[in-house]
């Protein structure tokens, strides 16, 4: 059992872990206890890599960071990177990650979704970063991840002008991979996780590292990673099975 503070609910499986944010009384706002719980989740997924499916509860993904805590934070807290460090850790998890978003994903909640590899949404999902209206900035990844995901002009509208993207618009700009009815969201996340899990785990891990590598690392990184994969028994078995099916 993971050492948790009861801010998330975890369903652990062979090839995936479902983590449900569960602070309904605070609209799943991300507080220090939830940060600690998600770090515990990361530690477990680093120890035994699996696909992560991250979702909310009661029609809310996460309405942001906990404002009561945020109001009391000072310079040292910002420099400690409380949320940014967690979201970066999630982004660097060995296996792919899926955010299944129903309802609002705002502020830190949006940045948590941006840190995942895939985003699925229901029609009532909304993505936005209203931090500037609270006298701060979206400093846990949105200022650079969002630009990479949707481009600079739209990122500026969201971050500087408070634009909130509804699900269909988020799909149109490919911020989300799929929009499904609310009651189909768990099944859609399972389907995507199952598609990912059909692939060789080490190939997934090295491909994810290659995608995150800086431009200067290519093509050498890819060559070395492929050299590792060429020597695996799984590569030989999978290619043999492919040739036998084809024959």
């Amino acid at each position: 059992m993971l050492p948790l503070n009861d801010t998330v609910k975890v369903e652990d499986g062979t090839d995936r872990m479902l983590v449900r944010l569960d602070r309904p009384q605070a609209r799943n706002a991300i507080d220090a206890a939830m940060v600690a719980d998600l770090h515990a989740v990361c530690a477990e997924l680093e120890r035994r890599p699996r696909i992560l499916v991250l979702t909310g509860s009661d029609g809310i993904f996460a309405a942001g960071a906990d404002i009561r805590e945020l109001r009391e934070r000072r310079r040292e807290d910002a420099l400690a990177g409380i949320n940014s460090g967690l979201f970066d850790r999630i982004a660097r998890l060995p296996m792919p990650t899926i955010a299944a978003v129903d309802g609002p994903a705002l502020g830190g909640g949006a940045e948590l979704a941006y840190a995942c590899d895939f985003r699925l949404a229901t029609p009532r999902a909304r993505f936005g970063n209203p931090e500037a209206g609270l006298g701060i900035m979206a400093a846990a990844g949105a200022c650079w991840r969002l630009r990479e995901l949707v481009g600079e002009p739209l990122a500026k509208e969201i971050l500087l002008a408070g634009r909130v993207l509804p699900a269909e618009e988020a799909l149109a700009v490919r911020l989300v991979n799929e929009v499904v009815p609310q009651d189909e969201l768990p099944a859609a996340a399972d389907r995507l996780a199952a598609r990912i899990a059909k692939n060789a785990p080490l190939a997934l891990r090295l491909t994810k590292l290659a995608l995150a590598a800086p431009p200067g690392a290519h093509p050498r990184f890819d060559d070395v990673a492929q050299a590792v994969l060429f020597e695996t028994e799984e590569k030989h078995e999978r290619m043999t099975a492919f040739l036998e099916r084809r024959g």
Side-chain angles (χ1 to χ4, degrees):
M1 293 290 292
L2 294 176
L4 300 177
N5 296 300
D6 297 326
T7 70
V8 302
K9 295 188 184 303
V10 175
E11 297 177 23
D12 208 353
T14 303
D15 59 9
R16 72 198 71 170
M17 177 186 286
L18 172 65
V19 175
R20 186 180 303 279
L21 308 181
D22 190 41
R23 294 188 70 218
Q25 75 284 0
R27 294 172 59 81
N28 289 340
I30 301 167
D31 67 348
M34 184 179 287
V35 168
D37 284 348
L38 291 174
H39 271 299
V41 165
C42 288
E44 173 61 18
L45 292 175
E46 290 160 353
R47 185 187 70 83
R48 186 163 74 87
R50 280 152 288 160
I51 298 162
L52 170 65
V53 178
L54 189 61
T55 194
S57 54
D58 296 330
I60 298 169
F61 182 72
D66 191 296
I67 301 301
R68 292 185 185 277
E69 286 190 1
L70 206 57
R71 184 180 59 178
E72 304 307 316
R73 290 182 184 172
R74 295 294 183 263
R75 173 181 58 201
E76 292 77 13
D77 300 304
L79 293 174
I82 295 171
N83 285 2
S84 63
L86 170 64
F87 299 164
D88 188 55
R89 190 176 185 182
I90 289 171
R92 289 186 290 105
L93 284 172
M95 292 288 280
T97 55
I98 302 167
V101 180
D102 181 30
L106 303 174
E111 291 179 300
L112 177 56
Y114 303 157
C116 291
D117 297 308
F118 301 92
R119 282 158 295 280
L120 306 178
T122 69
R124 63 182 182 179
R126 295 181 293 122
F127 299 85
N129 289 95
E131 284 89 342
L134 295 170
I136 59 173
M137 62 180 281
C143 287
W144 54 279
R145 283 198 181 98
L146 189 57
R147 182 183 61 198
E148 292 176 355
L149 289 168
V150 303
E152 186 172 328
L154 182 53
K156 285 181 175 178
E157 283 193 61
I158 295 168
L159 294 166
L160 302 178
R163 183 171 178 180
V164 175
L165 292 185
E168 289 300 332
E169 188 171 359
L171 178 65
V173 298
R174 303 306 295 168
L175 179 61
V176 302
N177 301 88
E178 186 180 5
V179 175
V180 298
Q182 175 189 346
D183 59 353
E184 295 180 19
L185 184 62
D190 277 341
R191 286 195 301 271
L192 178 54
R195 282 166 50 199
I196 296 168
K198 288 180 179 179
N199 295 302
L202 184 58
L204 289 172
R205 293 178 63 174
L206 291 177
T207 300
K208 184 170 175 176
L209 283 174
L211 285 165
H218 304 289
R220 196 61 184 159
F221 178 91
D222 309 63
D223 293 342
V224 173
Q226 190 76 301
V228 171
L229 292 169
F230 273 10
E231 295 297 320
T232 62
E233 186 64 28
E234 185 158 19
K235 169 253 189 180
H236 185 269
E237 291 175 354
R238 283 174 174 261
M239 290 192 175
T240 299
F242 174 84
L243 293 171
E244 288 175 350
R245 289 195 304 271
R246 188 176 180 183

